[in-house]
Amino acid sequence: MIVNLSDKDWQEQLPRLPGVYLFRDREGEVLYVGKAVNLRNRVRSYFKETGDSRFSVEFLRKLACSVECVVTANEKEAFLLENEYIKRYRPRYNIRLRDDKTYVSVRIRMSHPYPRLEVVRVRQRERQDLDRRDLYFGPYVSASAVRETLRFLLKMFPLRTCTDKVFANRVRPCLLYDVGKCCAPCVRPVPQEEYQRLVDSVARFLRGRYDEVRATLEQRMQEFAERLEFEKAALARDRLRALEETIERQHVVAHHGSDRDAIAIVSQAGRSLVVVVQHRDGVLSNTFEYYVRNYDQSDAEVLYQLLPRHYEMHRPIPPEILLNVEPSDQSLLEEWLRDLRGGAVQLRVPQRGEGARVIASATTNARVRLEARLKGERSEQEVLTELAERLGLPRVPQTIECADISNLMGTFAVGSIVRFEGLEPDKSKYRRYRIRTVMGANDFGMMREMLLRRFRPTSERAPERPDLFIVDGGKGQLAVARQVFEELGITDVMLAALAKSRRVRGGDTPAGAWTYADEEVDATVADEGGDEDWLDEEPEAVTPNQKRGRSEERIFLPERKNPVVFPPNSPALFLLQRIRDEAHRFAITYHKRLRSAENWRSILDEIPAIGERRKRALLRHFGSLAAIRAASLEELQEVPGITTAAARAVYEFFHPASEQSPQS
């Protein structure tokens, strides 16, 4: 049931039963998901004057327009449903793990007869759509450490790493086979059973089951030696030696041979950092780190929301989990973990002994890493504050977008818009545009089309407006963006244009010789507000870069005649350059791809009756385009898959009516 919070009797409509509640805003977006033993009492507590004083609750009171209540049979069902809803809706004010696109995972493609090892970046919300047979390990914080581990793995277990397409088209082994890091199942008769043993060993290794891997290798080596297959025995011996060296380098014994996780959380300045130290068979096998915004929630509440997400991604679950803080609803968590593991699971906060020392070490690590993170965030705010001050912006921009156009004399025209959250790119919000309505070399028209498509009210991204929007170019591009914003009634987005540094005439260039050719404004833009006298502007001072024949990077702003010039080593300038360069890279990559696709187009693509399959059939049958052109109608009809109508279409395309003899 959905209760409108504007109704006078909305509190009376709430059930007094266990279940899950979802706060929604005016557009129906889920803001927060929670569970309760008594839904009415829990939801009412958010709106009491003496209730929760967290700032996130204040936002919920202002933004929430309705609350949806889902009644469950008991609190355990409410816990499971709450977890499912958080994964589905990813609410703004719930604790969310950092998006996995910034972390790497190791994937083994079990859907293939010869599975491959690969390093991937898979978002958490995408995992449910992937093949359930594939094995995932991670995500891991350090990509370089993962790739180093894989290099060792390939020495011990030479699985393939090539793509399925390369695997299917190989005719001879690659270099990895020559150096002993691939068994080359693409061209060699490798039994699937033997290959599967390698896959199982890799999976056990990545799960921290080193003793099992060692025992398997020792057994295989002994079997080969007994059968007098000494080359295979030597290979197993080398793999065993590589395994021993790898384990020796990272062998940190924590306790006596059992599986155990140590989880420590520390919080400061609205942020929480959770460190998960994973021990398998008494050996430190992995470490995970989660840095989240806690919305003023207690450490117990943060752990309650984070632990289910962590253990859904990282299995098997150990029988013992040590913590430095007891999570909320610990009994519910333990019951859920037991069901997931299929065995006993204990959550405990050790007070003395070896467990207390392990937790103390994890807590110290978490505190050091949190301080480093906060220091980095302070640096981020300093850069953004400098940017706002130098540009005279009314507020510090937290989200910045940049637009760029790429074309070749008006052909293959594309545009790109990239988005940065703070100092980091948010690639999920990148967009590229194929210019549709502008013909010829008209950068201003192309920029106008792209901005209209980006900010028009019907666009799906229209509500996601940035704090600062930058166009790559000068006053001409800025005038276009300003005109579009005025037409659409956009007043809450700050505008700027970033003009590239460029070479100018002469080493000691006189002021009158400066030209900004790429910023000339066409008549329509100049008539509608673009100043023309800026074309004759002189630099206020000659800088070292100008003495060497380079202009400075200039930022143009609305209602300001002269550009803003940053100091050469300004971090804010480096941020703007990075965003601009990223927009340029994204645009030029798309532009080059379109050009490359056009260059590889065949003349057969111009025949309406010929698709990709028939085109391949023709080329396979005749061997070349020249042979197809010279073929008769009867010969074309003999090609498998080519109908009489399709054969006639091909023949008439290469032999227009004016060239055909009366007999044909």
Side-chain angles (χ1 to χ4, degrees):
M1 61 176 296
I2 298 179
V3 177
N4 194 329
L5 297 179
S6 61
D7 295 344
K8 291 184 179 180
D9 61 341
W10 68 267
Q11 296 186 16
E12 301 303 321
Q13 299 178 40
L14 299 172
R16 298 178 180 271
L17 297 169
V20 175
Y21 57 92
L22 300 87
F23 282 112
R24 295 180 181 270
D25 63 10
R26 193 179 304 278
E27 285 74 30
E29 179 185 356
V30 178
L31 301 172
Y32 183 80
V33 175
K35 71 167 181 62
V37 177
N38 186 313
L39 286 168
R40 179 182 295 184
N41 292 345
R42 183 68 183 110
V43 174
R44 287 173 59 185
S45 68
Y46 285 89
F47 298 91
K48 291 182 179 179
E49 295 183 0
T50 59
D52 203 326
S53 60
R54 289 177 291 161
F55 79 91
S56 59
V57 175
E58 294 294 331
F59 280 111
L60 281 176
R61 291 170 182 164
K62 295 177 182 178
L63 298 176
C65 295
S66 63
V67 58
E68 179 181 354
C69 295
V70 181
V71 176
T72 59
N74 50 53
E75 191 178 3
K76 180 182 178 182
E77 286 188 12
F79 169 81
L80 297 174
L81 187 60
E82 176 195 29
N83 187 37
E84 179 62 31
Y85 280 161
I86 290 175
K87 289 189 296 181
R88 182 187 305 176
Y89 296 114
R90 297 176 60 82
R92 187 186 313 174
Y93 294 110
N94 282 94
I95 299 298
R96 293 189 294 177
L97 301 190
R98 187 176 178 181
D99 198 323
D100 287 346
K101 69 183 178 186
T102 57
Y103 294 145
V104 296
S105 299
V106 177
R107 177 167 64 189
I108 302 179
R109 288 277 196 179
M110 300 301 294
S111 53
H112 195 279
Y114 293 95
R116 60 176 293 219
L117 262 179
E118 55 185 324
V119 179
V120 295
R121 295 180 185 267
V122 183
R123 299 179 194 173
Q124 181 181 345
R125 60 179 175 271
E126 292 175 353
R127 287 181 180 269
Q128 58 187 359
D129 300 326
L130 298 173
D131 195 316
R132 297 291 184 181
R133 292 172 294 177
D134 294 346
L135 300 179
Y136 286 85
F137 303 91
Y140 304 102
V141 176
S142 173
S144 59
V146 170
R147 291 184 171 89
E148 180 66 23
T149 300
L150 291 188
R151 278 192 284 271
F152 282 112
L153 278 175
L154 292 178
K155 288 182 180 179
M156 295 182 285
F157 314 108
L159 300 182
R160 73 178 182 97
T161 57
C162 58
T163 64
D164 293 347
K165 184 176 180 180
V166 172
F167 178 84
N169 293 284
R170 271 280 175 193
V171 294
R172 59 183 300 273
C174 64
L175 184 61
L176 287 177
Y177 170 76
D178 295 330
V179 298
K181 292 186 177 181
C182 180
C183 59
C186 51
V187 294
R188 296 180 64 251
V190 179
Q192 287 192 21
E193 297 79 8
E194 183 68 28
Y195 193 89
Q196 188 59 45
R197 290 194 189 98
L198 295 176
V199 173
D200 294 340
S201 297
V202 169
R204 285 196 295 269
F205 180 90
L206 291 174
R207 292 189 179 111
R209 303 293 184 182
Y210 306 127
D211 289 342
E212 295 179 15
V213 179
R214 182 191 291 112
T216 300
L217 288 175
E218 289 176 346
Q219 179 183 355
R220 296 289 292 167
M221 181 177 64
Q222 187 65 29
E223 290 175 355
F224 288 136
E226 291 175 355
R227 295 201 299 261
L228 304 181
E229 297 178 3
F230 298 116
E231 290 185 1
K232 293 182 179 180
L235 187 60
R237 179 203 61 200
D238 294 341
R239 292 174 184 172
L240 182 61
R241 185 176 300 164
L243 173 65
E244 296 287 357
E245 292 175 357
T246 304
I247 295 175
E248 186 64 29
R249 271 194 298 273
Q250 55 114 44
H251 194 76
V252 182
V253 176
H255 51 94
H256 301 292
S258 61
D259 296 348
R260 186 166 71 183
D261 285 353
I263 302 177
I265 179 173
V266 292
S267 300
Q268 184 180 339
R271 301 290 189 272
S272 295
L273 191 138
V274 180
V275 170
V276 182
V277 182
Q278 187 181 82
H279 298 89
R280 295 295 179 263
D281 294 330
V283 178
L284 174 63
S285 63
N286 214 339
T287 302
F288 304 94
E289 178 181 313
Y290 301 107
Y291 182 62
V292 298
R293 187 175 182 180
N294 58 34
Y295 300 107
D296 286 348
Q297 297 184 60
S298 66
D299 289 347
E301 292 173 319
V302 173
L303 282 178
Y304 164 77
Q305 297 186 51
L306 186 143
L307 288 179
R309 250 69 77 204
H310 170 76
Y311 282 110
E312 281 182 335
M313 292 189 297
H314 303 285
R315 303 183 194 179
I317 299 169
E320 183 180 39
I321 301 173
L322 308 180
L323 306 109
N324 66 335
V325 174
E326 184 177 307
S328 301
D329 292 323
Q330 178 173 330
S331 59
L332 270 178
L333 277 174
E334 285 184 336
E335 187 176 354
W336 178 78
L337 289 169
R338 280 197 297 269
D339 293 343
L340 204 62
R341 180 176 183 265
V345 177
Q346 181 185 16
L347 299 175
R348 69 184 184 93
V349 180
Q351 302 298 323
R352 62 182 65 85
E354 181 187 1
R357 289 193 295 272
V358 172
I359 280 295
S361 175
T363 304
T364 301
N365 277 297
R367 186 173 294 110
V368 170
R369 295 179 186 182
L370 177 61
E371 290 174 357
R373 292 268 194 167
L374 292 175
K375 184 178 179 181
E377 283 196 354
R378 285 193 290 269
S379 300
E380 174 180 313
Q381 284 302 115
E382 290 171 1
V383 173
L384 296 174
T385 301
E386 179 195 354
L387 177 63
E389 291 175 350
R390 290 194 176 276
L391 297 183
L393 303 178
R395 63 184 184 277
V396 177
Q398 300 298 328
T399 56
I400 304 174
E401 289 188 4
C402 183
D404 189 25
I405 295 292
S406 180
N407 65 93
L408 180 63
M409 300 298 291
T411 62
F412 305 107
V414 299
S416 72
I417 294 179
V418 301
R419 185 181 178 98
F420 273 58
E421 297 283 347
L423 305 186
E424 298 301 323
D426 184 359
K427 295 190 176 182
S428 65
K429 303 293 177 62
Y430 282 20
R431 293 295 182 272
R432 58 192 182 198
Y433 300 83
R434 183 76 184 268
I435 303 302
R436 303 168 180 167
T437 63
V438 179
M439 305 301 293
N442 183 355
D443 280 6
F444 300 125
M446 296 174 186
M447 181 66 72
R448 175 181 172 80
E449 177 190 328
M450 180 172 63
L451 295 185
L452 284 172
R453 290 165 61 184
R454 163 63 179 90
F455 289 103
R456 65 190 176 192
T458 56
S459 169
E460 69 173 274
R461 288 202 58 216
E464 299 179 1
R465 294 178 181 174
D467 297 325
L468 174 63
F469 193 85
I470 303 170
V471 291
D472 183 22
K475 278 196 174 179
Q477 285 82 358
L478 180 62
V480 171
R482 186 178 175 186
Q483 180 182 355
V484 170
F485 278 28
E486 289 175 354
E487 291 178 10
L488 298 177
I490 298 174
T491 58
D492 57 343
V493 178
M494 300 172 282
L495 264 177
L498 179 58
K500 298 182 184 71
S501 168
R502 64 181 55 87
R503 193 180 303 279
V504 294
R505 294 194 295 268
D508 297 323
T509 307
W514 286 78
T515 59
Y516 304 141
D518 68 330
E519 297 164 5
E520 294 179 0
V521 186
D522 62 5
T524 57
V525 175
D527 291 342
E528 297 181 10
D531 297 326
E532 292 181 299
D533 57 352
W534 65 274
L535 291 170
D536 299 321
E537 288 172 5
E538 298 181 0
E540 298 177 357
V542 178
T543 66
N545 273 348
Q546 293 168 354
K547 290 180 181 179
R548 292 193 297 269
R550 300 290 301 182
S551 70
E552 298 289 348
E553 302 267 6
R554 290 151 293 131
I555 297 91
F556 293 94
L557 301 169
E559 307 294 346
R560 177 164 176 162
K561 179 179 179 180
N562 293 324
V564 177
V565 178
F566 282 69
N569 296 323
S570 167
L573 176 62
F574 292 155
L575 172 62
L576 291 177
Q577 291 172 332
R578 182 184 172 203
I579 297 173
R580 188 266 318 280
D581 293 344
E582 179 69 357
H584 180 70
R585 179 200 65 79
F586 196 52
I588 197 68
T589 301
Y590 185 36
H591 169 76
K592 288 180 177 179
R593 196 170 81 183
L594 292 179
R595 285 169 53 191
S596 176
E598 182 67 22
N599 291 338
W600 282 100
R601 279 177 58 86
S602 168
I603 193 173
L604 296 175
D605 294 326
E606 301 178 16
I607 307 175
I610 301 302
E612 192 65 29
R613 183 175 298 177
R614 286 176 174 173
K615 181 176 69 174
R616 288 198 300 266
L618 287 168
L619 291 172
R620 190 180 299 113
H621 183 83
F622 290 102
S624 69
L625 192 62
I628 297 174
R629 187 192 302 269
S632 65
L633 179 60
E634 291 74 15
E635 291 173 330
L636 292 170
Q637 292 174 344
E638 294 175 358
V639 178
I642 303 296
T643 64
T644 301
R648 182 168 295 278
V650 174
Y651 185 80
E652 291 177 351
F653 179 83
F654 288 113
H655 304 85
S658 59
E659 298 180 6
Q660 295 180 26
S661 63
Q663 290 78 12
S664 61

